[in-house]
Amino acid sequence: QVQLVESGGGSVQAGGSLRLSCAVSRSPDNINCMVWFRQAPGKEREGVAGIYKYDGRTYYSDSVKGRFTISQANAKTTVYLQMNSLKPEDSAMYYCAAGPWCGLPTLKTPSNYNYWGQGTQVTVSS
């Protein structure tokens, strides 16, 4: 069983930064990509960033490109999301997910991902 545990959420003012972490209990061969999704109240879940497990290539949604950075460390057992220049519209529950499919189009379909964490809340005030 793969378990994902997010941490690092909190409240910050617009323009500030936060770093989210996702601890991965194990990473079997059928996991090729780790991604971050977010979901605000009343909105659909939105994929914002992904990273290929084996070579570290990254991809981002247009809404966060240039402000957020996804990375992995600790023999790929930890995935980070560095969020800079935060805006009120970035406020959401942020989820870490893992699955076999990679690439920007997969961010549009949460069902591509087999494993999910419980989420961590990010609130950005203006």
Side-chain angles (χ1 to χ4, degrees):
Q1 182 70 14
V2 177
Q3 291 184 323
L4 308 178
V5 179
E6 302 96 334
S7 61
S11 297
V12 64
Q13 289 192 326
S17 299
L18 282 174
R19 188 175 80 158
L20 307 182
S21 299
C22 174
V24 185
S25 62
R26 54 186 291 268
S27 186
D29 290 344
N30 67 337
I31 290 179
N32 291 314
C33 271
M34 300 294 299
V35 298
W36 286 95
F37 279 80
R38 67 185 181 187
Q39 189 167 21
K43 295 191 175 181
E44 293 188 351
R45 194 163 291 194
E46 173 194 17
V48 296
I51 186 166
Y52 286 74
K53 184 175 78 172
Y54 294 106
D55 64 12
R57 283 180 292 154
T58 59
Y59 46 98
Y60 301 91
S61 66
D62 287 342
S63 60
V64 307
K65 193 179 299 181
R67 300 187 298 121
F68 290 13
T69 302
I70 188 171
S71 61
Q72 58 189 0
N74 301 329
K76 304 178 179 64
T77 60
T78 307
V79 178
Y80 299 104
L81 186 68
Q82 177 67 43
M83 306 186 295
N84 298 329
S85 302
L86 283 161
K87 306 174 182 180
E89 51 264 43
D90 294 319
S91 296
M93 185 71 80
Y94 282 72
Y95 298 92
C96 177
W101 307 109
C102 298
L104 195 55
T106 66
L107 291 181
K108 300 183 188 299
T109 310
S111 60
N112 283 323
Y113 297 94
N114 311 83
Y115 307 105
W116 291 83
Q118 82 290 348
T120 186
Q121 179 69 39
V122 172
T123 303
V124 185
S125 57
S126 58

